[in-house]
Amino acid sequence: MRRHLCSCILLTLVMAGSLIVASLSDADGPVYLGQKYCRACHSSSDDNRYHLWLNSKHARAFEALRGAEKADPECLGCHTTGHGEPISEKADRKDLRGVQCEACHGPGSEYKSMKVMKDPKLARKAGLWEDTRDVCLRCHR
Ligand code: HEC
Ligand code: HEC
Ligand code: HEC
Ligand code: HEC
């Protein structure tokens, strides 16, 4: 009888746990991917946005942090990309170090396809942000 009760409790815990996991991974709307997804299409000779970015201080913003600062949420908000926001299952927080493309252009999971990217209206509907001063002011205060 006691064993039965135990397994009931265990089952309830497992179910509650999977519900939480499901709600976490089931993010509504676009999620962050990391710059390698953008590099694929934006690093050619006629569109060198990737290399422009790679040579900027934004790309190295995470390296500016020292020791414990690299794990301090007080710092990660502006020295990494998408901090505290949902990221793709295929991405790791390490892929989002520094001020990457998506920190200024918005999380890319829904606009990254060629069809959407080529259509400015569609891209904005899919989460591409309008480039405004407000984007910079998120971090530059
Ligand atoms: C499959 C290829 C592809 C991928 C992947 C891709 N892009 Fe694009 N992107 C394009 C094309 C094509 C255009 C439209 C032509 C142009 O302006 O270069 C474009 C346009 C843009 C624009 C200008 C859009 C506008 O309407 O003002 C931005 C900003 C942009 N991409 C950012 C990104 C970011 C950030 C990522 C990564 C999350 C990304 N792109 C991934 C192909 C791609
Ligand atoms: C609100 C956004 C924001 C937060 C939070 C933030 N930073 Fe920064 N940090 C910036 C910006 C923006 C710059 C660039 C300032 C400039 O060049 O005008 C910067 C620059 C720096 C630099 C100088 C980098 C260089 O190459 O000279 C260091 C070091 C730094 N931050 C460390 C930290 C640490 C440590 C924390 C956490 C305690 C932190 N920052 C939190 C936005 C932020
Ligand atoms: C610090 C913010 C910031 C970051 C980081 C950033 N961009 Fe941008 N990007 C902008 C702004 C602002 C504009 C619009 C003004 C301009 O063209 O410079 C822009 C414009 C663009 C355009 C449109 C260019 C055109 O000629 O119409 C593309 C494409 C683009 N960015 C792609 C990228 C990619 C890919 C990355 C990462 C490798 C990236 N950006 C990183 C702020 C940023
Ligand atoms: C996610 C946060 C974030 C956003 C968004 C952001 N920045 Fe930054 N920016 C930083 C940080 C952090 C640094 C310091 C990087 C370092 O020095 O290590 C920085 C550095 C800079 C620098 C100094 C670079 C240098 O070479 O000295 C300029 C200029 C700048 N940002 C402009 C902009 C503009 C313009 C925008 C909007 C289009 C923007 N930033 C958006 C966080 C951000």
Side-chain angles (χ1 to χ4, degrees):
M1 183 60 197
R2 248 181 88 195
R3 236 163 98 197
H4 183 67
L5 190 67
C6 277
S7 48
C8 262
I9 293 174
L10 194 66
L11 187 67
T12 315
L13 284 176
V14 168
M15 280 168 66
S18 50
L19 269 180
I20 291 170
V21 170
S23 61
L24 280 180
S25 57
D26 206 31
D28 290 333
V31 296
Y32 289 83
L33 302 169
Q35 43 81 15
K36 66 179 178 209
Y37 283 86
C38 320
R39 179 178 60 194
C41 298
H42 291 286
S43 62
S44 65
S45 51
D46 44 322
D47 176 354
N48 65 351
R49 283 280 167 180
Y50 177 77
H51 293 102
L52 282 176
W53 168 78
L54 196 63
N55 290 317
S56 73
K57 284 207 168 176
H58 282 139
R60 291 184 298 278
F62 185 76
E63 277 78 65
L65 303 178
R66 302 268 164 251
E69 294 162 4
K70 291 186 192 281
D72 187 345
E74 292 285 338
C75 312
L76 299 179
C78 301
H79 287 261
T80 69
T81 300
H83 179 72
E85 304 284 336
I87 66 171
S88 161
E89 286 170 1
K90 289 181 200 145
D92 188 279
R93 288 281 166 197
K94 281 187 185 154
D95 303 332
L96 289 160
R97 288 175 171 174
V99 180
Q100 301 188 4
C101 324
E102 292 170 287
C104 295
H105 294 297
S109 64
E110 319 253 301
Y111 66 71
K112 70 169 171 20
S113 77
M114 189 58 95
K115 181 171 169 267
V116 177
M117 282 262 73
K118 279 192 166 163
D119 182 336
K121 262 196 197 151
L122 213 56
R124 278 158 184 78
K125 262 195 192 152
L128 187 78
W129 294 340
E130 211 53 74
D131 305 311
T132 64
R133 253 180 98 237
D134 293 347
V135 171
C136 318
L137 293 177
R138 287 164 78 104
C139 305
H140 292 269
R141 293 171 188 164

